[in-house]
Amino acid sequence: MLNARLLKLPTASHHHRHEHHQIVVGVRGEADLSVDGTGSHLDTWRACLVPTEARHDYCGDLQNHVLVINLDPYMPALNSPAHSEYETLAPLFEKPRTLVLDSKLQGLVQFVAGEFDRSPDNEGMKHHMGASILHCMAERLSEGREVRQNRHAISPDTIRRYIMENIQRKITVNDLAGVACLSVSRFHEMFREVVGVTPHQFLLQTRLDQAVQLLTMTPLSVAEVSYRTGFSSQSALTNALRKHKGTTPSRLRIDGKVA
């Protein structure tokens, strides 16, 4: 009834249709899809739901990887447990749509993608994890927690790219709201709804993630890392790492074996 796999979309557009429902979730990079003439941009915070027989095409950038989950409406026998599962999931595919993932669901997708990559031949695991993602999406849809795409939809990846491009300087929530073309109050409200954390928390987390990468992958001094990631001082970086990640630069250096 259900199968799931990781794949890379081609850079050239591919137009087709199929007899099963399909969901395409961004894992890495970006892609563009068109379903029955309606365009959709896919990144690591979005999923595109394609109903059976819907004509669609897609193309990705050179870095893209997607998680594809297929749901076959013709396989479940009426008296089988698979049929009741299908009835729970089928409302997801009433129409083509793009879903913006919340932070917990995005984290689940990234975890599942990692397990698929680690165990590519474990079909049972892929079936159950793919079903888990669909059930989580169905629950959100039924409870009205779907964040609908519109011209002001926030892309966390776009916000993250802006932060990374300006990470050495002071960045305010007003700056981030400008990237999304929203007022500060509206941006704060929508960002927290989509991502699950405040813009300030997201900014701090992005700085810390980059600091951890530099501390574990390069021999740069802690002072240089703090400067490159926008912290006011070496002690500010150390305090932030201890508070939010439960570690220190020296511990990261030991674990990462960077001299």
Side-chain angles (χ1 to χ4, degrees):
M1 182 193 77
L2 182 151
N3 66 77
R5 65 192 189 279
L6 275 176
L7 56 84
K8 183 177 176 64
L9 296 180
T11 55
S13 180
H14 176 59
H15 193 76
H16 66 294
R17 64 170 62 178
H18 37 63
E19 295 185 350
H20 52 264
H21 301 311
Q22 184 175 83
I23 182 167
V24 185
V25 194
V27 172
R28 188 184 313 151
E30 300 183 30
D32 290 301
L33 294 90
S34 176
V35 183
D36 281 343
T38 301
S40 175
H41 184 72
L42 200 66
D43 58 27
T44 59
W45 290 84
R46 296 174 192 265
C48 185
L49 279 69
V50 183
T52 179
E53 294 295 341
R55 294 191 66 84
H56 57 287
D57 62 76
Y58 49 73
C59 62
D61 63 15
L62 294 175
Q63 289 78 38
N64 89 87
H65 283 80
V66 296
L67 176 65
V68 175
I69 305 172
N70 296 324
L71 184 67
D72 192 336
Y74 303 109
M75 288 297 292
L78 288 174
N79 60 349
S80 72
H83 188 270
S84 62
E85 183 179 35
Y86 170 75
E87 288 186 333
T88 300
L89 300 177
L92 281 169
F93 302 95
E94 290 176 346
K95 61 182 180 180
R97 68 177 97 210
T98 299
L99 302 183
V100 180
L101 311 183
D102 59 43
S103 58
K104 291 183 179 179
L105 189 51
Q106 197 264 358
L108 174 61
V109 168
Q110 292 296 324
F111 171 75
V112 168
E115 292 301 297
F116 279 25
D117 190 53
R118 188 177 65 86
S119 304
D121 298 323
N122 191 333
E123 296 299 326
M125 179 268 289
K126 291 194 286 186
H127 171 88
H128 288 294
M129 285 190 163
S132 295
I133 289 173
L134 288 186
H135 277 286
C136 288
M137 289 184 175
E139 284 291 321
R140 283 158 171 75
L141 186 62
S142 66
E143 294 177 8
R145 295 204 300 266
E146 175 191 9
V147 181
R148 301 184 182 279
Q149 184 184 33
N150 56 48
R151 66 189 183 92
H152 290 314
I154 290 174
S155 167
D157 277 357
T158 299
I159 300 300
R160 183 182 285 107
R161 279 197 299 273
Y162 175 84
I163 294 172
M164 291 301 297
E165 290 168 0
N166 299 275
I167 197 166
Q168 287 182 266
R169 70 174 185 84
K170 180 179 179 181
I171 301 173
T172 66
V173 176
N174 188 64
D175 294 330
L176 302 181
V179 174
C181 300
L182 294 168
S183 68
V184 172
S185 59
R186 182 61 176 152
F187 173 74
H188 192 282
E189 175 187 355
M190 290 187 64
F191 192 91
R192 185 160 190 169
E193 186 177 8
V194 170
V195 184
V197 298
T198 67
H200 177 73
Q201 290 169 329
F202 185 82
L203 171 60
L204 177 59
Q205 187 61 54
T206 303
R207 291 191 191 278
L208 286 173
D209 289 344
Q210 180 64 10
V212 169
Q213 183 173 345
L214 292 176
L215 287 167
T216 55
M217 302 299 293
T218 77
L220 293 171
S221 68
V222 178
E224 179 65 17
V225 170
S226 65
Y227 168 74
R228 292 194 181 198
T229 52
F231 287 91
S232 59
S233 65
Q234 178 175 327
S235 61
L237 171 59
T238 300
N239 290 337
L241 283 170
R242 184 179 293 112
K243 178 179 180 180
H244 297 283
K245 290 189 175 291
T247 189
T248 63
S250 59
R251 172 55 58 185
L252 286 168
R253 280 276 151 85
I254 294 171
D255 294 341
K257 297 181 174 59
V258 175

